[in-house]
């Protein structure tokens, strides 16, 4: 049986359907109403307070002790203790906290040497005296470059070359050409650096042509709904078969939202970001890569990996240029 949850938000009401017996904290998390949950829903911190009316399970002694009888009488409950057994109304308090993080500081001069680069080449158009293949035409134009053996890239080659009279931009990773774009797009090359903190996620957009930082944006890490510290979060990922992917999806969605804000604010396409670098503690990076972090929390404390890795953006579901 399903029930309706009526949610009193700042500017009105929202209605959601929920299956009988759904845990209230899970319902809130799944629907992005984020409460403070330092213990990650383990019922020990007493912070997941929310005002509710309707039939829920009776408050236990443990809940009353954490919340206080007076609060219970006023209609407050601890969300992680409650299950929804009727149509209910809830009153989430607006707890959106501004992320406060120092994102600017003194910058060092560094030699610009991005992993990716672009080269514009106006190619000679083929004719009956020049019957070189499209691939050869491209690689012959610039010494040492070679085309990635990628069937999609080969498929796109002829169309792209013809689109702008054989004036194309080669997108390269080192010497390897991994994409061909029509026209001159060399001015359109951005990179992203993301610091995934347990509390905040800070993202820096860089212009990889000028070597300058273009913008900075930071938000609170939404994984805090699974606990304030890494141990609570690892604990959460061990609860069910899906909980690790919940954790992974939460940080990926957060990063993609940040990318969307930075792209809109700077009037660029998200696909103009060609390279992203992520830094964080071992647990945060395990969650980013959807790797089990349980080994980090228990003796002898063994992570899956501590080394740097390079992946295609598409393999991490990061919304930048998929190449
Ligand atoms: Fe900590 Fe509910 S008591 S999240």
């Amino acid at each position: 049986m399903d029930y309706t949850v009526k949610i009193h938000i700042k500017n009105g009401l929202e209605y959601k359907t929920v299956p009988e017996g759904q845990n209230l904290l899970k319902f809130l998390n799944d629907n992005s109403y984020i409460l403070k949950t330092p213990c990650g829903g383990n019922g020990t911190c007493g912070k997941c307070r929310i005002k509710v009316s309707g039939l829920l399970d009776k408050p236990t002694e443990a809940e009353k002790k954490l919340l206080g009888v007076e609060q219970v009488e006023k209609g407050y409950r601890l969300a992680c203790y409650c299950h929804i057994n009727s149509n209910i109304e809830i009153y989430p308090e607006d707890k959106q906290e501004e992320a406060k993080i120092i994102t600017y500081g003194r910058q060092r001069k560094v030699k610009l040497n991005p992993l990716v680069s672009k080269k514009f080449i106006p190619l000679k158009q083929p004719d009956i005296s020049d019957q070189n293949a499209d691939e050869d035409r491209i690689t012959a134009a610039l010494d040492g470059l070679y085309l990635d053996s990628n069937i999609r890239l080969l498929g796109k080659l002829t169309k792209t070359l013809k689109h702008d009279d054989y004036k194309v931009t080669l997108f390269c990773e080192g010497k390897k050409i991994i994409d061909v774009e029509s026209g001159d797009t060399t001015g359109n090359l951005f990179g992203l650096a993301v610091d995934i903190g347990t509390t905040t996620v800070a993202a820096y957009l860089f212009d990889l042509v000028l070597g300058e930082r273009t913008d900075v944006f930071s938000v609170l890490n939404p994984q805090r709904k699974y606990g304030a510290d890494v141990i609570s979060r690892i604990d959460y990922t061990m609860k069910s078969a899906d909980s690790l992917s919940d954790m992974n999806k939460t940080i990926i969605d957060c990063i993609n939202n940040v990318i969307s804000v930075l792209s809109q604010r700077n009037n660029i396409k998200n696909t103009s970001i060609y390279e992203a670098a992520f830094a964080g503690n071992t647990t945060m990076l395990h969650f980013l890569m959807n790797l089990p972090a349980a080994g980090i929390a228990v003796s002898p404390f063994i992570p899956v990996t501590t080394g740097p890795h390079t992946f295609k953006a598409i393999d991490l579901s990061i919304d930048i240029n998929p190449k």
Side-chain angles (χ1 to χ4, degrees):
M1 180 166 184
D2 286 347
Y3 291 115
T4 302
V5 182
K6 186 168 161 185
I7 306 140
H8 294 257
I9 53 168
K10 210 173 180 184
N11 301 319
L13 288 170
E14 283 180 355
Y15 294 86
K16 304 270 179 194
T17 305
V18 60
E20 182 173 16
Q22 171 77 275
N23 176 271
L24 180 54
L25 181 60
K26 178 161 177 25
F27 164 79
L28 291 162
N29 281 343
D30 289 350
N31 290 282
S32 302
Y33 302 106
I34 297 184
L35 302 182
K36 277 188 182 163
T37 54
C39 76
N42 278 334
T44 54
C45 70
K47 299 286 187 195
C48 57
R49 191 184 93 134
I50 187 163
K51 194 168 183 192
V52 189
S53 59
L55 190 65
L56 296 165
D57 25 12
K58 281 204 166 116
T60 61
E61 285 310 310
E63 185 186 353
K64 282 196 247 177
K65 197 170 164 200
L66 279 169
L67 191 55
V69 178
E70 201 181 308
Q71 293 290 307
V72 177
E73 282 166 359
K74 282 183 181 165
Y76 286 97
R77 298 295 304 269
L78 293 179
C80 70
Y81 276 85
C82 302
H83 296 85
I84 302 168
N85 296 315
S86 74
N87 296 329
I88 60 167
E89 291 183 46
I90 58 172
Y91 304 79
E93 289 161 18
D94 192 9
K95 289 192 173 152
Q96 278 301 328
E97 297 155 77
E98 286 296 316
K100 285 194 186 122
I101 182 163
I102 296 172
T103 45
Y104 283 96
R106 187 177 297 171
Q107 288 192 70
R108 267 182 316 134
K109 275 249 177 275
V110 289
K111 192 166 171 273
L112 187 61
N113 185 23
L115 184 67
V116 291
S117 61
K118 282 185 170 185
K119 291 166 184 64
F120 174 62
I121 45 166
L123 293 169
K124 185 175 167 291
Q125 296 202 26
D127 55 40
I128 202 69
S129 64
D130 175 6
Q131 293 178 310
N132 282 325
D134 290 336
E135 177 182 8
D136 300 336
R137 192 170 303 283
I138 284 180
T139 49
L142 284 168
D143 222 17
L145 294 189
Y146 65 97
L147 206 70
D148 186 22
S149 284
N150 177 317
I151 201 149
R152 283 187 204 91
L153 177 57
L154 290 171
K156 146 178 201 194
L157 219 52
T158 304
K159 204 169 152 204
T160 311
L161 287 172
K162 285 190 177 151
H163 185 270
D164 240 336
D165 296 333
Y166 286 73
K167 296 184 187 74
V168 290
T169 299
L170 307 181
F171 170 52
C172 306
E173 183 185 328
K175 295 276 181 198
K176 184 166 67 180
I177 303 165
I178 53 178
D179 203 8
V180 180
E181 299 172 347
S182 67
D184 184 355
T185 65
T186 47
N188 201 12
L189 186 69
F190 289 86
L192 187 76
V194 185
D195 177 9
I196 308 174
T198 311
T199 311
T200 48
V201 175
Y204 305 76
L205 182 70
F206 286 89
D207 184 321
L208 297 182
V209 179
L210 302 173
E212 287 173 0
R213 189 166 62 195
T214 307
D215 200 359
V216 183
F217 185 60
S218 61
V219 291
L220 289 171
N221 186 337
Q223 290 174 324
R224 71 192 189 283
K225 67 186 174 188
Y226 301 119
D229 54 76
V230 290
I231 298 300
S232 309
R233 291 186 202 168
I234 293 173
D235 216 26
Y236 175 82
T237 62
M238 293 160 70
K239 277 186 177 163
S240 75
D242 296 333
S243 49
L244 175 59
S245 43
D246 290 347
M247 191 67 81
N248 168 256
K249 188 173 179 316
T250 302
I251 192 62
I252 298 293
D253 287 350
C254 168
I255 291 165
N256 286 338
N257 285 335
V258 166
I259 290 169
S260 166
V261 169
L262 285 170
S263 305
Q264 283 174 28
R265 228 156 68 163
N266 294 282
N267 217 8
I268 62 168
K269 286 186 182 160
N270 61 322
T271 49
S272 297
I273 303 171
Y274 288 85
E275 183 182 355
F278 298 93
N281 66 46
T282 309
T283 305
M284 293 299 107
L285 294 181
H286 274 53
F287 294 155
L288 174 75
M289 294 184 280
N290 206 14
L291 295 175
I296 301 170
V298 289
S299 177
F301 312 111
I302 308 298
V304 177
T305 174
T306 55
H309 295 278
T310 304
F311 304 108
K312 288 253 180 279
I314 204 165
D315 292 337
L316 287 180
S317 303
I318 299 289
D319 274 346
I320 59 171
N321 191 295
K323 302 284 178 353

